[in-house]
């Protein structure tokens, strides 16, 4: 299932964007059944502890360091369970952010900077109402967006979108607690937003 959600602000400066999410339906339903929302306790630290555990496989509790043990012993059962001296992680990322879209009047450097903040997590694009009238400036500005892999879409008066620069597909180089945290923040916005548009 995919969804789009307008995000006025996320912790860490990720502001004023529309995020397109690919919801992990099985994880979403599992969390709903367990009464569990987002998994952001202890911030990056807690997610770092979880990432040290394989999903769905019991691990001896005494093989974890004291900080990991302290975390898993306090975590809700929807996140992980401790049984018979072993801990099993249940939580996975609830969604994948596939695109971050920001809107600006034109291709300002501020538009480039705003979209660039999402570079570690997803593909990016900017929707603008106009392009620079000066051909030299327009070509150079669009080349800069293209260099950074940020798409540029021109919105015409009737609302039609024209792709001027194709956004570069996102290819994760590695999986990090920060990326999981960002997915949890996006999922929180998805859960709290009342105007989520869904498409199966």
């Amino acid at each position: 299932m995919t969804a789009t959600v307008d995000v006025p602000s996320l912790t860490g400066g990720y502001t004023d964007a529309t995020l397109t999410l690919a919801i992990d339906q099985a994880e979403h339903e599992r969390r709903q059944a367990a009464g569990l929302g987002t998994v952001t306790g202890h911030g990056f630290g807690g997610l770092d502890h979880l990432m040290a555990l394989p999903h769905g496989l019991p691990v001896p509790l005494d093989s974890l360091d004291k900080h990991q043990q302290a975390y898993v012993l306090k975590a809700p059962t929807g996140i992980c369970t401790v049984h018979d001296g072993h801990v099993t992680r249940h939580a996975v990322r609830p969604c994948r952010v596939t695109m971050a879209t920001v809107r600006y009047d034109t291709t300002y450097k501020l538009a480039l900077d705003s979209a660039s903040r999402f570079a570690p997590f997803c593909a990016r694009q900017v929707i603008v109402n106009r392009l620079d009238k000066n051909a030299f400036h327009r070509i150079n500005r669009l080349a800069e967006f293209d260099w950074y892999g940020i798409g540029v879409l021109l919105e015409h008066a009737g609302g039609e979108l024209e792709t001027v620069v194709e956004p570069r597909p996102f290819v994760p180089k590695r999986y990090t607690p920060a990326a999981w945290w960002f997915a949890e923040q996006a999922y929180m916005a998805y859960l709290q937003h009342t105007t989520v548009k869904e498409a199966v």
Side-chain angles (χ1 to χ4, degrees), residues 7-29:
V7 182
S9 63
L10 291 177
T11 307
Y14 304 104
T15 60
D16 299 323
T18 298
L19 302 180
T20 303
L21 316 179
I23 303 295
D24 183 327
Q25 192 63 26
E27 176 67 0
H28 174 64
E29 291 175 1

Side-chain angles (χ1 to χ4, degrees), residues 28 48 55 58 105 113 145 169 192 194:
H28 174 64
D48 188 44
H55 173 247
D105 289 339
D113 292 344
F145 276 82
Q192 295 177 344
T194 57

Side-chain angles (χ1 to χ4, degrees), residues 37-136:
T38 56
V39 179
T40 52
H42 300 275
F44 292 169
L47 295 174
D48 188 44
H49 296 329
L50 289 178
M51 286 187 73
L53 300 171
H55 173 247
L57 297 174
V59 173
L61 189 60
D62 60 12
S63 69
L64 306 182
D65 67 33
K66 63 180 182 180
H67 300 293
Q68 293 169 332
Q69 289 185 28
Y71 176 82
V72 300
L73 289 170
K74 292 179 181 177
T77 54
I79 296 176
C80 59
T81 53
V82 177
H83 176 72
D84 197 26
H86 289 73
V87 58
T88 304
R89 171 167 69 93
H90 307 296
V92 296
R93 289 189 204 187
C95 67
R96 185 170 46 89
V97 181
T98 58
M99 178 68 73
T101 304
V102 296
R103 286 181 172 268
Y104 279 86
D105 289 339
T106 190
T107 52
Y108 302 120
K109 186 177 186 305
L110 185 59
L112 183 75
D113 292 344
S114 292
S116 293
R117 293 179 180 179
F118 297 93
F121 310 119
C122 60
R124 299 144 296 144
Q125 63 185 14
V126 176
I127 297 176
V128 298
N129 300 321
R130 59 185 170 82
L131 299 175
D132 199 309
K133 291 182 180 179
N134 182 296
F136 177 79

